[in-house]
């Protein structure tokens, strides 16, 4: 089905939340209560295996979320999916296991009355299975919890129900090592009365017995001490308690994984306490110990991530980088992977590892579902590659940025500008010219998206585009036949003037001064070219003199125009514009009009006064 394919794609591409929602939609459509069942019975039957799979995954996901968040909403959501699974597939081989998990979930959410029902159903309502005895035993714990919160008048009835359940446990599982302790007075007080302080006291007495109590009873006692310590936020004692329980727990015991998780949680909580108290270095130690003491625990990844975050808070950039790098390799599919790139980038930046930071920003750009974050990260990557001197990588990053983000206009134009500068550094004038043309066109077609920056870059690009046009003009030599060459040079001159005029018309100060200076230079060059042009052969001395006079007359307007334009530039000094092109125009005027502009000190004094 198409929806199943969508889920598969979401999961493969790391969109866990979208996959989760898609699974819910799949179950709603094809599940037991969906309308699809009556509309297409055969199709409904084919969909059930995947419905079962998704129900189980949803239940496990929210179960895990509830254990981490302790939020009632997460517990309720997990219960919902477990119940729907059991209602939909009551005879499935995994039904008993899921029923047990449902009961555990209810127990964790303090819904002990419901939990006891589900535990007993798990223990006695299915053919014998791995959790049967555990469920029966847990039912007694659930009854004990009920008694703790029940009104006094209801306690006797609850006790009787609990006793009946205990007897049933002993009857159905007579060889279970817990049968004796369940029937014992001390165990009865511990699990039936559920008084936390008294339970801890009785547990300690079990541990103090001489000769020592059986391992099973000591295990129960240590478990109680560990649990009560954890609930009292005495996580150091809880850790010790769980460690002792684990010593008494066989390697293949189904409860072992849970105990390891609890031990890891106790260590992790010590880290949280230290962090809250401002003892950051101690917090790092506790978080790191989770990986040493309980390397297979589900909380290890979170602990390692928090260790890295604490190292960042300590500005221990080397330690943070190592921890995050190990996290990335060790837990490639962890939900927190999406946060690693940002934190690693910070660490690399602080260490001055620009290329490494750039790589992390690139990774962030490729994984973030937020377009703005992706866009900004890719831009940072490109800038950092530039800073690292890695022009090929910088070029690729800017090119990827443009491919993915043709808008907004300003950064897209800026990216082309950066690429043009990189092309210059690479000695690639053809690519530079193409990019300058792209910049100019992008700004010209930008409409309302144009900004001062895009106009500036557009003007600068126009100026750059005019240079090769002017170069073509300068290539034309005034040689015989002069009339033809003169027409050609004038044509090229007009083209150059128009190209520079485009840049000047932008009204960008330093571009306008540059364009004005270069237009003036073209006019002056034309006058000089005419004066130095090749003379016709076989002219008499008088004819040559007359010819030269005619040339001077034709060249003079060009020089006058050049002077006029340089003066336009020079007058800009009065408005506060005194860049290198204005200065260059002053230099030209000292040659063209030495009497008026020859005194350098006076001119500069005027400019300084203007400033």
């Amino acid at each position: 089905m198409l929806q199943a394919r969508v889920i598969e794609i979401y999961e493969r591409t790391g969109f866990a939340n979208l996959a989760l929602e898609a699974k819910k939609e799949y179950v709603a459509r094809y599940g037991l209560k969906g309308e699809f069942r009556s509309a297409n019975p055969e199709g409904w039957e084919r969909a059930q295996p995947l419905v079962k799979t998704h129900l189980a995954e949803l239940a496990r996901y929210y179960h895990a979320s509830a254990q981490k968040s302790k939020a009632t909403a997460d517990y309720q959501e997990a219960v919902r999916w477990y119940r729907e699974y059991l209602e939909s597939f009551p005879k499935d081989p995994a039904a008993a296991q899921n029923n047990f998990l449902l009961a555990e979930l209810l127990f964790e959410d303090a819904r002990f009355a419901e939990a006891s029902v589900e535990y007993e159903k798990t223990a006695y309502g299915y053919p014998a299975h791995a959790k049967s005895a555990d469920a029966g035993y847990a039912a007694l714990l659930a009854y004990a919890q009920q008694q703790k919160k029940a009104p006094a008048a209801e306690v006797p009835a609850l006790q009787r129900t609990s006793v009946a359940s205990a007897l049933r446990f002993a009857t159905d599982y007579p060889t279970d090592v817990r049968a004796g302790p369940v029937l014992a007075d001390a165990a009865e007080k511990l699990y039936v009365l559920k008084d936390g302080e008294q339970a801890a006291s009785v547990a300690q007495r079990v541990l103090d017995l001489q000769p020592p109590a059986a391992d099973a009873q000591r295990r129960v006692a240590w478990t109680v001490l560990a649990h009560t310590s954890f609930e009292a936020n005495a996580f150091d004692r809880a850790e010790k308690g769980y460690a002792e329980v684990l010593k008494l727990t066989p390697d293949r015991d189904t409860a072992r994984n849970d105990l390891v998780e609890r031990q890891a949680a106790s260590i992790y909580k010590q880290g949280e306490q230290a962090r809250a108290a401002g003892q950051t270095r101690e917090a790092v130690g506790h978080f790191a110990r989770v990986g040493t003491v309980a390397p297979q625990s589900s909380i290890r990844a979170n602990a390692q991530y928090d260790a890295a975050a604490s190292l960042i808070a300590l500005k221990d950039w080397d330690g943070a980088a190592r921890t995050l790098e190990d996290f990335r390799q060790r837990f490639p599919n962890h939900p927190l992977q999406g946060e690693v790139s940002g934190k690693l980038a910070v660490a690399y930046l602080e260490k001055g590892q620009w290329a490494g930071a750039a790589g992390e920003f690139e990774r962030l750009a490729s994984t973030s579902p937020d377009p703005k974050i992706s866009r900004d990260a890719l831009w940072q990557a490109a800038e950092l590659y530039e800073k690292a001197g890695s022009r090929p990588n910088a070029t690729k990053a800017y090119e990827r940025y443009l491919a993915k983000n043709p808008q907004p206009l300003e950064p897209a134009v800026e990216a082309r500008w950066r690429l043009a500068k990189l092309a210059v550094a690479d000695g690639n004038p053809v690519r530079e010219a193409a990019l300058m043309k792209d910049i100019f066109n992008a700004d010209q077609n930008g409409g309302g998206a144009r900004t001062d920056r895009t106009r500036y870059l557009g003007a600068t690009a126009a100026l750059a585009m005019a240079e090769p046009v002017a170069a073509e003009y300068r290539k034309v030599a005034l040689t015989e036949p002069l009339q033809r060459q003169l027409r050609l040079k004038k044509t090229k001159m007009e083209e150059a003037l128009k190209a520079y005029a485009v840049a000047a018309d932008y009204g960008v100060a330093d571009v306008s001064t540059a364009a004005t200076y270069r237009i003036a230079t073209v006019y002056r060059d034309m006058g000089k070219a005419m004066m130095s042009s090749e003379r016709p052969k076989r002219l008499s001395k008088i004819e040559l003199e007359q010819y030269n006079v005619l040339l001077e007359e034709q060249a003079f307007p060009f020089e006058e125009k050049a002077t006029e334009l340089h003066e336009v530039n020079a007058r800009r000094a009065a408005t506060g514009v005194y860049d290198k092109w204005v200065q260059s125009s002053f230099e030209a005027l000292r040659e063209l009009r030495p009497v008026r502009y020859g005194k350098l000190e006076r001119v500069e004094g005027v400019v300084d006064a203007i400033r």
Side-chain angles (χ1 to χ4, degrees):
M1 296 181 181
L2 179 59
Q3 193 170 357
R5 177 61 177 158
V6 169
I7 295 171
E8 180 185 345
I9 292 171
Y10 281 153
E11 290 181 327
R12 188 170 65 249
T13 55
F15 292 100
N17 290 335
L18 293 176
L20 194 69
E21 293 302 317
K23 289 175 183 179
K24 291 180 183 179
E25 293 175 8
Y26 190 97
V27 169
R29 178 174 296 177
Y30 302 111
L32 186 66
K33 300 175 183 178
E35 296 179 358
F36 189 79
R37 182 179 184 181
S38 57
N40 188 349
E42 292 182 2
W44 182 82
E45 285 290 342
R46 290 195 300 272
Q48 292 317 289
L50 201 52
V51 170
K52 180 171 66 175
T53 298
H54 291 335
L55 282 172
E57 290 172 348
L58 288 166
R60 298 292 196 282
Y61 174 83
Y62 283 105
H63 195 154
S65 297
Q67 287 181 324
K68 290 179 182 178
S69 68
K70 307 300 181 185
T72 297
D74 286 340
Y75 282 112
Q76 291 174 342
E77 189 72 358
V79 167
R80 168 194 169 190
W81 296 114
Y82 276 127
R83 290 196 186 283
E84 187 163 343
Y85 181 99
L86 293 170
E87 183 181 354
S88 300
F89 307 98
K91 298 186 182 299
D92 188 78
Q97 173 68 13
N98 281 285
N99 210 146
F100 180 79
L101 292 173
L102 169 60
E104 289 276 78
L105 187 68
L106 292 165
F107 188 96
E108 292 167 9
D109 198 28
R111 294 159 66 174
F112 302 117
E114 295 175 75
S116 62
V117 171
E118 296 301 334
Y119 276 132
E120 289 190 333
K121 180 181 176 182
T122 304
Y124 312 116
Y126 295 93
H129 57 87
K131 290 290 186 180
S132 294
D134 287 344
Y137 183 75
L140 302 178
L141 298 179
Y143 282 124
Q145 291 288 351
Q146 289 181 64
Q147 292 172 44
K148 284 178 66 175
K149 297 187 177 183
E154 297 179 10
V155 170
L158 285 171
Q159 288 178 329
R160 286 190 292 274
T161 304
S162 178
V163 167
S165 186
L167 292 174
R168 188 173 184 182
F169 177 88
T171 300
D172 283 14
Y173 310 109
T175 61
D176 193 284
V177 294
R178 294 169 291 186
V182 165
L183 297 173
D185 180 67
E188 184 80 358
K189 289 179 181 178
L190 180 61
Y191 297 108
V192 176
L193 296 176
K194 271 299 178 182
D195 183 326
E197 291 185 7
Q198 188 176 0
S201 177
V202 171
Q204 188 60 54
R205 289 176 60 185
V206 171
L207 296 175
D208 292 340
L209 286 174
Q210 293 296 332
D215 283 353
Q217 295 174 20
R218 292 177 63 79
R219 174 180 168 181
V220 170
W222 276 117
T223 299
V224 171
L225 284 173
H227 287 348
T228 54
S229 296
F230 192 95
E231 292 165 2
N233 296 333
F235 300 116
D236 55 343
R237 295 204 304 267
E239 179 190 353
K240 179 183 177 182
Y242 289 125
E244 293 296 334
V245 176
L246 284 165
K247 291 178 184 177
L248 298 166
T249 303
D251 290 342
R252 296 186 178 181
D253 193 301
T254 56
R256 189 172 183 84
N257 287 341
D258 181 62
L259 290 168
V260 170
E261 292 294 334
R262 290 177 179 272
Q263 181 188 34
S266 300
I267 301 171
Y268 182 81
K269 287 291 186 181
Q270 291 175 67
E272 287 187 324
Q273 284 182 326
R275 183 173 59 191
Q279 300 168 341
T280 310
R281 182 60 68 180
E282 289 78 0
V284 171
H286 288 305
F287 291 139
R289 278 197 311 114
V290 173
T292 303
V293 176
Q296 303 305 318
S297 63
S298 63
I299 205 171
R300 178 188 177 174
N302 293 73
Q304 184 165 337
Y305 182 84
D306 285 351
S310 297
L311 287 166
I312 288 175
L314 289 168
K315 297 185 178 181
D316 183 347
W317 309 117
D318 288 333
R322 285 194 303 271
T323 304
L324 288 167
E325 288 163 355
D326 183 75
F327 180 93
R328 171 173 286 163
Q329 294 180 356
R330 194 178 297 275
F331 309 108
N333 299 317
H334 195 276
L336 286 171
Q337 280 292 343
E339 306 294 326
V340 170
S341 290
K343 284 184 165 51
L344 260 180
V346 171
Y348 289 147
L349 284 172
E350 293 293 339
K351 293 174 67 178
Q353 295 179 354
W354 314 125
E360 294 306 322
F361 280 120
E362 275 198 296
R363 187 188 294 265
L364 181 61
S366 65
T367 58
S368 175
D370 187 324
K372 185 178 186 306
I373 292 176
S374 178
R375 183 172 66 245
D376 293 346
L378 190 52
W379 184 269
Q380 285 183 284
E383 288 190 320
L384 286 168
Y385 278 131
E386 272 195 278
K387 192 171 185 178
S390 180
R391 292 200 302 272
N393 284 328
T395 297
K396 290 177 183 177
Y398 281 126
E399 286 173 345
R400 280 195 294 274
Y401 180 92
L402 273 174
K404 292 183 177 181
N405 305 285
Q407 296 295 331
L409 177 65
E410 182 174 318
V413 171
E414 186 73 37
R416 293 182 178 92
W417 178 256
R418 302 285 182 93
L419 284 168
K421 294 305 177 186
L422 289 168
V424 171
D426 288 335
N428 191 341
V430 175
R431 177 166 169 75
E432 179 201 7
L435 286 162
M436 287 299 183
K437 185 175 181 180
D438 287 347
I439 291 168
F440 176 76
N441 290 334
D443 175 65
Q444 288 288 303
N445 298 323
R450 297 174 77 193
T451 65
D452 288 344
R453 180 60 178 169
T454 66
R455 291 185 179 90
Y456 175 82
L457 295 179
T460 305
L463 188 63
M465 290 165 61
E467 291 302 322
V469 181
E472 289 298 314
Y473 152 76
R474 287 191 291 271
K475 287 180 183 179
V476 179
L478 294 183
T479 58
E480 289 292 333
L482 186 60
Q483 290 300 321
R484 184 189 68 184
Q485 288 298 101
L486 184 58
R487 284 195 300 272
L488 177 59
K489 194 168 185 68
K490 285 184 176 180
T491 298
K492 295 295 184 181
M493 175 185 176
E494 289 300 322
E495 292 173 356
L497 295 176
K498 288 179 181 178
Y500 282 127
V502 171
D505 287 345
Y506 261 92
V508 175
D510 55 349
V511 175
S512 293
T513 56
T516 301
Y517 174 81
R518 288 169 178 167
I519 291 171
T521 301
V522 169
Y523 276 111
R524 189 178 182 190
D525 176 81
M526 187 64 175
K528 288 182 177 180
M530 293 179 70
M531 291 302 300
S532 61
S533 63
E534 185 178 358
R535 281 12 180 206
K537 296 179 176 59
R538 297 179 181 176
L539 289 179
S540 67
K541 183 177 180 180
I542 295 175
E543 289 172 334
L544 182 59
E545 289 177 355
Q546 292 175 339
Y547 185 87
N548 287 337
V549 170
L550 289 173
L551 280 179
E552 287 180 6
E553 290 176 353
Q554 292 188 37
F556 180 74
F558 291 104
E559 183 173 301
E560 284 295 296
K561 187 64 176 180
T563 301
E564 177 187 333
L565 288 168
H566 282 308
E567 287 180 332
V568 168
N569 245 6
R571 284 195 294 272
R572 287 184 170 123
T575 65
V577 178
Y578 192 62
D579 59 17
K580 70 174 184 177
W581 303 112
V582 172
Q583 295 177 50
S584 296
S585 285
F586 272 118
E587 292 290 340
L589 288 169
R590 277 194 283 274
E591 294 180 20
L592 292 165
R593 295 290 186 271
V595 175
R596 183 176 179 183
Y597 295 97
K599 293 184 179 181
L600 178 62
E601 296 82 358
R602 180 182 177 186
V603 170
E604 290 183 343
V606 171
V607 171
D608 289 338
I610 290 170
R611 286 176 168 174

